[in-house]
Amino acid sequence: MNRLLNWSPSWQWFHRLGSPRWFYQASGRWLPWLSLLALTLLLTGLVWGLGFAPQDAKQGNSFRIIYLHVPVSFLALAGYYIMAIAGAIGLIWKMKLSYMVMKAAAPVGAALTFLALFTGAVWGKPTWGTYWVWDARVTSMLILLFLYLGILALQYAFHSNEAGNKASAILALVGTANIPIIYKSVDWWYTLHQPATIKLTSAPSMHPDMFAPLLVMIVGFYCFYTVALLLFTRAEILRRERKSVWVRELALGGPAL
Amino acid sequence: MKFQFENITQLFVMDGHGVFVWTAVLVSLVVMLWLIVKPLADSRAALKDVSGDITRAALTRGDA
């Protein structure tokens, strides 16, 4: 078995990445820097967006919610891909760590999807005159929240970790069909929700003075997402590997790593 | 780049939109804080469980 794993040096990183112990050790080194970066970016973006970005001509100050709503929604969707891809890697290569990442991505994604809906609702009141509409974008985001919650619940519905992992990964993969629907919902259906402000393929439909802090917030939220995902994964590693020697040494405060 | 409000009070009022904007900010911060605190508390509890198990096992063996 060992010879098989060491067969090709170019695959070593892949197997090392699959080792929960290595991941726990490495992520412990990344976390302080990532957290500092996330905190700096989010603080800068928030102060800039709330206090210094110019007012929107039509929506007035309520538009400032965009600085939370858009980045949070981005990560709610991107997080689903991360969860589904982690599940797929787990299914294909039977990688334990990959399932742990998938499991960690569910609560983080659910929390961010809830925030996307919540910030959307309090933005909707002064802009649309209502907190909630059953339109295509809002409804498909609600389905995303239920998918995340379903994957969380499915993990606990099975006695064996193995079966729970597989079922969750399959549900996550099936659920990816919802993501393009969410993206395209504002174009396909007549909806109250405004079309995308930022597209990769064209210039943003937003003044640069308003766009710059939004970009800072989006990058900041990517860093924050990574921090949260790493922390949840580490908690899951400790739970699943509690019988292993290195976790026992770590628990006793010994030289585990 | 200039500060868009006359004073700090105006920053909170935001011409009547403040209650919506600041609610969004506050709830976001609470949820984000939970995303950090929850896994840290879970990790701590997991390690405490393991060390407790080891101590108990040692006590029942009588070598503690």
Side-chain angles (χ1 to χ4, degrees):
Chain A
M1 189 61 191
N2 240 343
R3 263 179 62 202
L4 196 72
L5 287 182
N6 294 328
W7 172 64
S8 154
S10 61
W11 278 90
Q12 260 177 15
W13 66 271
F14 192 72
H15 292 291
R16 220 175 37 170
L17 199 64
S19 147
R21 182 185 178 175
W22 178 85
F23 185 87
Y24 191 91
Q25 188 182 8
S27 60
R29 282 195 307 263
W30 307 330
L31 270 170
W33 301 105
L34 261 171
S35 311
L36 191 69
L37 192 62
L39 196 68
T40 314
L41 287 171
L42 290 177
L43 267 176
T44 311
L46 206 60
V47 172
W48 191 352
L50 292 181
F52 293 89
Q55 247 188 56
D56 186 80
K58 276 188 231 152
Q59 299 186 11
N61 281 314
S62 70
F63 109 96
R64 295 184 193 280
I65 295 176
I66 201 173
Y67 295 111
L68 291 165
H69 181 72
V70 166
V72 155
S73 310
F74 262 35
L75 266 306
L77 293 170
Y80 196 90
Y81 277 129
I82 289 170
M83 183 175 71
I85 291 168
I89 293 175
L91 281 177
I92 298 165
W93 285 291
K94 313 247 177 302
M95 198 190 264
K96 242 189 331 185
L97 180 66
S98 196
Y99 280 135
M100 296 181 193
V101 172
M102 173 190 76
K103 196 178 171 191
V108 185
L112 292 175
T113 310
F114 164 76
L115 275 185
L117 287 166
F118 184 86
T119 54
V122 289
W123 193 1
K125 188 62 184 167
T127 317
W128 300 342
T130 173
Y131 285 110
W132 189 265
V133 277
W134 289 102
D135 91 331
R137 173 59 73 84
V138 182
T139 310
S140 53
M141 276 306 273
L142 187 66
I143 293 172
L144 184 72
L145 179 62
F146 291 151
L147 277 169
Y148 273 126
L149 294 178
I151 283 154
L152 263 178
L154 209 52
Q155 289 276 347
Y156 297 102
F158 291 86
H159 280 299
S160 86
N161 278 334
E162 180 82 17
N165 283 338
K166 276 188 186 161
S168 301
I170 290 165
L171 178 62
L173 283 169
V174 172
T176 48
N178 188 34
I179 306 291
I181 296 177
I182 297 175
Y183 276 121
K184 285 285 167 195
S185 57
V186 281
D187 304 327
W188 286 347
W189 288 284
Y190 178 76
T191 129
L192 263 182
H193 196 285
Q194 62 201 59
T197 311
I198 315 160
K199 280 182 180 158
L200 277 179
T201 45
S202 55
S205 62
M206 201 179 179
H207 192 275
D209 287 349
M210 289 176 171
F211 183 63
L214 182 58
L215 204 62
V216 174
M217 284 303 274
I218 290 172
V219 178
F221 261 98
Y222 266 97
C223 296
F224 171 81
Y225 178 87
T226 314
V227 170
L229 186 68
L230 288 179
L231 288 177
F232 271 91
T233 307
R234 284 161 66 86
E236 182 63 13
I237 288 175
L238 290 181
R239 207 179 65 80
R240 291 263 174 103
E241 302 283 293
R242 60 187 176 275
K243 301 269 187 262
S244 69
V245 176
W246 73 270
V247 173
R248 292 168 69 90
E249 282 177 356
L250 190 66
L252 294 175
L257 307 169
Chain B
M1 196 163 69
K2 83 180 221 301
F3 191 56
Q4 299 290 314
F5 301 93
E6 276 171 31
N7 49 48
I8 293 295
T9 317
Q10 286 308 308
L11 174 69
F12 284 103
V13 176
M14 286 193 176
D15 302 322
H17 285 158
V19 64
F20 301 107
V21 176
W22 289 104
T23 307
V25 172
L26 214 67
V27 172
S28 300
L29 289 181
V30 169
V31 171
M32 288 166 77
L33 199 67
W34 178 83
L35 283 176
I36 300 297
V37 172
K38 172 78 166 72
L40 285 176
D42 284 355
S43 295
R44 225 189 145 129
L47 285 177
K48 224 175 148 185
D49 264 7
V50 173
S51 70
D53 284 350
I54 296 169
T55 317
R56 265 192 302 281
L59 280 174
T60 41
R61 277 205 315 272
D63 56 27

